[in-house]
Amino acid sequence: MKKRIKSLALITNLILVIALFIGSNNSVVSAKTYHKAVTKIAGNVNYPIYHHVSKKGPTGKFSSTKYFKFAQIQSKQSISTKKGEYWKIIVDGRPVGWVKQDFFVCNQISVAKNVSLVQNSAFNFDPKDAVNYVTDAQGTAIDLAKVKTSHSSINSASPGKTTVEYTYGSAKASVDVVVRSDKNEGIARAGLRPMNGPKEVSTWKGSSPSSSRNWNAAHNFRSETRANAFRSNGLTLKTILFQPRFVSLDYNKAADKMGQVGVIPEGITVKDSNFTVAVFNSSSAAYGHLVSYNLNQINKFKAQNLPQLKWSTFKHYASHIKVSPYIKLGHGQAIGSSENYIYVIANNNKSKNSNNSEEILQIRKSDMKINQIWSFRIWNGTSPRYIHNATFADDNTMYCLFHNGANNYYEYWKVTRSGDTWTPIQVGATKGNFISNGSPVQGFTYDKKHRQFFIGFNDYIFKVAENGTYQATHHLHVKREIEGLSADKGKLYVEFAQRGELTAGKIN
């Protein structure tokens, strides 16, 4: 009996010690730790950021969320306090500090303002393509698969309006999807005589056989420290920006597919000092992020090391790097921009040709969210031209490239918007395939000043007049894939893969 009493006394004392320990370590007990980071959606109101949080509340205010409202935000920890819920945020891959949950957008669904579809019985619109993000009560981004819609798809065969309702928990949103009235919209004539093209050249097929100096396992994928100058046939491209490998936590550290921003760049667009690149976490993904950089505010080397920058520099850079929500971008190589918007055709690059319509996303530069969506088509009578590569000269003008493989030539189309209507007209054609082994086009842009196109394959760039007249070949001999072209104010911008490197050169 005495032994049992002693044992009970020991257990009681142990419980008291544990209770005292818990009472003096409220921040540990009340913390909810996630093995992988969830994605958080920032709101518009500024909140202070703190070094420490206990059950009593936050202490050590040192910064503000105003620098990070358009950054990629993730979190692994939250704490319930007397002053509300607080989350430890990771910004663009860098741990920062604690912020009140009120900073996040909670219980909301963000969708495009409207959707306008061209008539086409072969095309069904997925309403979830119009979603920017969905959040729960804590401001955590939710997988679209969990969101309910009043219509699973909308066929565009007949004109009319359908209102789609979205719900997740207490979050609600709606968007009007309108099928336009002109049944002949998008039907045009493809009859221009192809101009003589360049002699076909051979190149590698598949992924890049090389990389930048340090983008390899032998150098541990460390940052580049030397700028490049690539020259070919009168074109000189110089390094403008080496991009970070990730603008988030890196591989396999997020609990959701929305969290990782990197590592594959696809299409690019440059307008004035704004450079935007479509970024995916795999080459087969149809959803990804747009990342925009203010080139006037960022050093060409320093952005590679966002987590290691000194605090003042990181804060400045983060305020000049904007990350879109995780949205449907297709392959990301049909892209362009105007002063206020980024445009992307969310296409299927696996489709060799299709009578499906294609979706144009208009994305606001101000907050990187989808503003509106149109569908369009380019048909030569009943023969479709499914577009893989396109560029936008302005808010109302798109140029498209179509490979007419059956007849061994490329077609160039100008598509003009009036209201919600997109009208195509063929402007040129060029004989031949340019590349002999069937490698896909990896960059396409239009130089408005000289009325000419640039077309990229691997490390080749071909210059062609608007009517299809071949002008020049530039072989850059870098053995790295071109991942996008853009022309702006007399300069040609070229993005190379492995590591993502933006270069630019004067257009002659």
Side-chain angles (χ1 to χ4, degrees):
M1 179 66 73
K2 288 182 179 179
K3 287 182 178 180
R4 288 180 62 191
I5 292 170
K6 285 183 179 180
S7 297
L8 287 170
L10 286 171
I11 292 169
T12 302
N13 288 335
L14 181 59
I15 291 170
L16 287 171
V17 169
I18 292 171
L20 287 169
F21 177 79
I22 289 173
S24 63
N25 290 273
N26 288 318
S27 63
V28 176
V29 172
S30 57
K32 293 174 282 185
T33 303
Y34 301 91
H35 294 292
K36 293 182 180 180
V38 294
T39 301
K40 310 296 287 185
I41 303 298
N44 292 323
V45 180
N46 298 330
Y47 283 84
I49 300 175
Y50 300 90
H51 282 301
H52 310 288
V53 176
S54 71
K55 196 167 185 179
K56 293 180 180 180
T59 57
K61 182 173 72 174
F62 71 97
S63 192
S64 168
T65 58
K66 69 180 180 180
Y67 303 103
F68 311 124
K69 287 189 289 187
F70 305 112
Q72 179 70 353
I73 299 179
Q74 297 167 280
S75 182
K76 294 182 180 181
Q77 286 183 299
S78 66
I79 297 176
S80 295
T81 78
K82 292 180 178 179
K83 296 185 178 180
E85 192 88 0
Y86 282 78
W87 292 75
K88 192 171 187 179
I89 58 172
I90 302 161
V91 177
D92 294 344
R94 176 177 179 147
V96 171
W98 296 89
V99 66
K100 196 171 186 179
Q101 184 171 282
D102 294 350
F103 168 56
F104 306 121
V105 177
C106 302
N107 288 322
Q108 286 197 26
I109 301 175
S110 170
V111 295
K113 289 181 178 178
N114 54 69
V115 178
S116 177
L117 308 178
V118 65
Q119 276 195 57
N120 181 4
S121 60
F123 178 68
N124 293 304
F125 175 73
D126 184 347
K128 290 184 179 179
D129 291 356
V131 176
N132 286 300
Y133 59 76
V134 180
T135 62
D136 63 13
Q138 296 178 313
T140 298
I142 298 301
D143 192 318
L144 279 179
K146 299 178 181 179
V147 179
K148 294 180 180 179
T149 58
S150 58
H151 297 76
S152 59
S153 67
I154 297 172
N155 184 263
S156 56
S158 302
K161 181 176 77 172
T162 303
T163 299
V164 179
E165 304 287 346
Y166 303 82
T167 57
Y168 175 80
S170 64
K172 296 180 180 180
S174 65
V175 65
D176 289 336
V177 179
V178 176
V179 179
R180 301 192 289 273
S181 60
D182 185 357
K183 65 180 181 179
N184 294 315
E185 181 187 336
I187 298 175
R189 179 175 175 78
L192 295 181
R193 179 177 64 86
M195 311 299 283
N196 291 329
K199 181 181 178 181
E200 290 184 6
V201 298
S202 62
T203 182
W204 72 85
K205 194 163 187 176
S207 59
S208 298
S210 187
S211 68
S212 60
R213 296 177 186 91
N214 296 328
W215 182 273
N216 48 65
H219 293 89
N220 199 31
F221 299 98
R222 67 173 182 256
S223 299
E224 303 297 338
T225 57
R226 292 164 53 193
N228 292 310
F230 305 124
R231 297 179 175 87
S232 174
N233 194 18
L235 176 66
T236 299
L237 299 173
K238 296 184 178 180
T239 304
I240 299 296
L241 179 68
F242 284 112
Q243 291 132 60
R245 197 171 178 215
F246 296 94
V247 191
S248 67
L249 292 171
D250 58 18
Y251 287 121
N252 303 317
K253 292 185 179 178
D256 57 65
K257 58 189 177 183
M258 298 163 280
Q260 182 180 308
V261 184
V263 64
I264 299 171
E266 290 292 354
I268 69 163
T269 178
V270 178
K271 179 67 175 177
D272 299 322
S273 64
N274 183 268
F275 159 54
T276 301
V277 56
V279 178
F280 299 82
N281 55 33
S282 81
S283 57
S284 61
Y287 276 71
H289 299 85
L290 295 175
V291 184
S292 287
Y293 300 84
N294 185 336
L295 296 173
N296 288 341
Q297 300 293 328
I298 296 174
N299 177 274
K300 68 179 69 175
F301 299 112
K302 288 183 179 180
Q304 297 172 91
N305 294 299
L306 292 175
Q308 286 80 43
L309 294 175
K310 69 178 184 178
W311 174 246
S312 60
T313 304
F314 172 77
K315 193 168 58 172
H316 178 76
Y317 278 27
S319 67
H320 291 287
I321 299 173
K322 292 183 177 182
V323 182
S324 79
Y326 185 71
I327 56 177
K328 184 178 178 181
L329 296 173
H331 190 48
Q333 288 193 337
I335 187 170
S337 56
S338 65
E339 184 177 352
N340 296 315
Y341 298 102
I342 301 161
Y343 294 87
V344 180
I345 298 179
N347 54 14
N348 177 6
N349 73 314
K350 302 268 191 282
S351 175
K352 290 185 178 180
N353 201 12
S354 169
N355 57 4
N356 269 319
S357 305
E358 297 181 75
E359 297 170 29
I360 300 171
L361 276 59
Q362 183 191 63
I363 296 151
R364 297 185 295 267
K365 286 184 175 179
S366 59
D367 60 7
M368 302 296 284
K369 296 179 180 64
I370 302 169
N371 189 55
Q372 56 185 327
I373 296 175
W374 301 274
S375 75
F376 77 100
R377 64 177 177 175
I378 301 174
W379 286 12
N380 177 32
T382 58
S383 177
R385 267 69 176 144
Y386 192 85
I387 301 303
H388 288 187
N389 303 91
T391 187
F392 292 78
D394 53 49
D395 290 305
N396 303 306
T397 310
M398 171 176 64
Y399 287 93
C400 300
L401 177 69
F402 177 75
H403 185 216
N404 192 324
N407 295 301
N408 194 39
Y409 61 82
Y410 281 91
E411 298 173 358
Y412 312 98
W413 291 83
K414 180 180 181 180
V415 188
T416 305
R417 179 169 73 94
S418 177
D420 289 326
T421 299
W422 292 84
T423 304
I425 182 171
Q426 188 186 7
V427 293
T430 307
K431 290 180 183 178
N433 296 311
F434 294 26
I435 297 291
S436 62
N437 67 351
S439 291
V441 174
Q442 292 167 297
F444 175 69
T445 193
Y446 178 70
D447 170 21
K448 186 187 296 188
K449 181 179 179 181
H450 299 97
R451 298 183 63 182
Q452 60 190 2
F453 300 108
F454 291 91
I455 308 168
F457 303 79
N458 287 343
D459 59 359
Y460 280 91
I461 297 174
F462 296 90
K463 183 166 66 172
V464 181
E466 187 178 287
N467 68 354
T469 301
Y470 164 71
Q471 294 179 323
T473 299
H474 305 283
H475 186 196
L476 297 159
H477 297 282
V478 297
K479 295 184 179 180
R480 292 162 59 195
E481 292 177 62
I482 290 169
E483 293 290 5
L485 303 175
S486 185
D488 183 56
K489 291 183 169 54
K491 287 186 177 181
L492 177 65
Y493 292 86
V494 182
E495 173 84 347
F496 290 101
Q498 299 182 189
R499 153 183 316 262
E501 178 183 1
L502 179 67
T503 64
K506 184 179 178 181
I507 297 174
N508 296 320

